Amino acid sequence: MKKILVILLALTMVFGCTAASAAVWEKGNPTVYIGYGAGGGTDTAVRPVVAAMNEILGETINCVNMEGANSAVACDYVLAEPHDGYTFFATGTGGFSSYPIYNYSNSGWGDWISFHPYSGPAVVFANPASGLTTADEVFAYIAEGNSFGIGAYGNGPHTQFEAIIGAAGKESPEYALFGSCNDAGVAVIAGDVQVGAGSLSAVIDYINSGMLTPIFVTCADAFNFAEAGVITPSVTTLIEGTEGIPSLNETWPIMIPRDTPEEIVTALTDAFLKAIETDAVKEFAASKGYTMIGLTGEEADKFMSYSISGYSWTLFNAGLGDGNPADFAIPTLEEYNWDTLKLTVDSYK
């Protein structure tokens, strides 16, 4: 009898371990299509989280860059693929929110389940040789007709800068587009333009090494570039009317179609929540000036929809595109009501 019990216990352990280690993706490795180029702010933000999720899941989620139309190329590609859990999309909330203004895509927050690990500010920076060190000097410089570098129209830093110059009563500059925040930083270093804006995370290493001069940041408090020994002021302390700018700070969600099989959504949610608690992800976030937020489920939907309202109406009010957010039933921030808005998506009805 004792031998039978030992055998039964051994079988239970074997089958239990087999069930626990069953593959989430049995047909092959899934892929995250990152909507911007390698080395940019979105790419930089997404890959460490995916790496941590891979370790937790014991499987491989591949990352592929697919840039174009502020990440709308990747967005529509993933939506056109089978919604079987093998294709994901990663973007920045700023870029995603620009779609209705620039007619890049008809996709909105309701199409997706999103996972937001952290948020991060933008920074306005200059080439050290330019001699530009203050916001007033930057405004005077671009008022003379000089170009201002950004990654793409409608991304987070561009939208925030438009809101800032609007509050300052200034005209929009002539923008030079470089594809990603990292590339905008490189362009300023190279002297292609003398000043620009990008995600702080994409250019923090350039600033800490003295290759770029930070002018101001869009977080609520001053930011300490410790390696450079420079404390950079928040725009909220420099320009009246910019108190709400930090609410436009960008996140970089990993997204899957809303009708993805439930078992895959559950596995991803569990892996994501564990990943953002790892030392590797926390240390990475701290090194890039991120704030951990860890949004999933309804909290993520609410955040995404609110961001779309803030970004899209900021762009529209600045006259930067032909699209009207009202045509997409996007409320202004003054009209925003989550309890009403969520009922426009089938999963909340």
Side-chain angles (χ1 to χ4, degrees):
M1 184 66 178
K2 186 175 180 181
K3 289 183 178 180
I4 294 174
L5 289 173
V6 170
I7 292 171
L8 288 174
L9 179 60
L11 289 172
T12 299
M13 292 176 67
V14 169
F15 286 116
C17 289
T18 301
S21 61
V24 178
W25 296 278
E26 298 179 348
K27 297 186 294 182
N29 296 333
T31 300
V32 178
Y33 290 90
I34 300 173
Y36 295 95
T42 301
D43 184 71
T44 301
V46 169
R47 287 181 182 267
V49 179
V50 173
M53 292 172 68
N54 283 340
E55 289 191 16
I56 290 161
L57 289 164
E59 299 189 56
T60 299
I61 303 172
N62 294 318
C63 290
V64 172
N65 297 95
M66 183 182 283
E67 58 185 297
N70 230 1
S71 80
V73 171
C75 169
D76 288 349
Y77 175 82
V78 172
L79 283 179
E81 291 291 293
H83 297 183
D84 55 5
Y86 282 80
T87 51
F88 313 156
F89 168 48
T91 187
T93 42
F96 188 83
S97 300
S98 74
Y99 295 173
I101 303 302
Y102 296 112
N103 298 311
Y104 285 151
S105 171
N106 291 324
S107 181
W109 69 270
D111 296 328
W112 304 92
I113 295 170
S114 58
F115 305 85
H116 304 251
Y118 25 60
S119 69
V123 57
V124 171
F125 46 80
N127 185 309
S130 71
L132 301 172
T133 59
T134 69
D136 287 340
E137 290 171 352
V138 168
F139 293 146
Y141 179 77
I142 59 178
E144 294 172 356
N146 294 298
S147 295
F148 187 90
I150 57 173
Y153 283 127
N155 70 3
H158 170 231
T159 305
Q160 288 179 303
F161 190 70
E162 277 296 321
I164 290 164
I165 60 176
K170 309 295 183 181
E171 295 292 327
S172 296
E174 182 73 28
Y175 287 107
L177 310 182
F178 295 100
S180 74
C181 292
N182 177 75
D183 291 338
V186 170
V188 172
I189 293 169
D192 297 332
V193 290
Q194 294 299 312
V195 65
S199 298
L200 186 150
S201 59
V203 296
I204 188 171
D205 292 337
Y206 300 142
I207 293 173
N208 275 325
S209 64
M211 300 170 74
L212 291 173
T213 299
I215 307 299
F216 57 76
V217 293
T218 64
C219 37
D221 301 311
F223 189 85
N224 182 14
F225 291 96
E227 293 179 31
V230 176
I231 297 177
T232 301
S234 165
V235 68
T236 62
T237 65
L238 301 177
I239 301 169
E240 188 175 350
T242 60
E243 296 79 10
I245 294 298
S247 69
L248 293 175
N249 281 349
E250 201 159 16
T251 71
W252 297 273
I254 298 166
M255 303 162 70
I256 56 175
R258 191 167 288 272
D259 56 350
T260 295
E262 184 177 353
E263 62 272 17
I264 291 181
V265 175
T266 299
L268 282 174
T269 303
D270 179 67
F272 171 79
L273 291 174
K274 289 177 179 176
I276 61 175
E277 290 298 325
T278 62
D279 289 341
V281 170
K282 287 182 176 180
E283 289 170 7
F284 169 78
S287 74
K288 295 297 184 181
Y290 295 141
T291 299
M292 301 298 300
I293 55 176
L295 300 181
T296 62
E298 184 170 346
E299 282 189 336
D301 286 342
K302 182 178 180 180
F303 176 86
M304 195 72 170
S305 62
Y306 186 84
S307 294
I308 290 171
S309 288
Y311 275 107
S312 63
W313 280 101
T314 296
L315 291 170
F316 176 75
N317 291 333
L320 296 177
D322 296 329
N324 188 331
D327 294 337
F328 295 83
I330 298 172
T332 65
L333 292 183
E334 292 76 18
E335 298 168 334
Y336 183 90
N337 183 300
W338 170 241
D339 289 333
T340 300
L341 185 62
K342 69 181 181 181
L343 297 179
T344 62
V345 174
D346 287 341
S347 59
Y348 284 101
K349 294 178 180 177

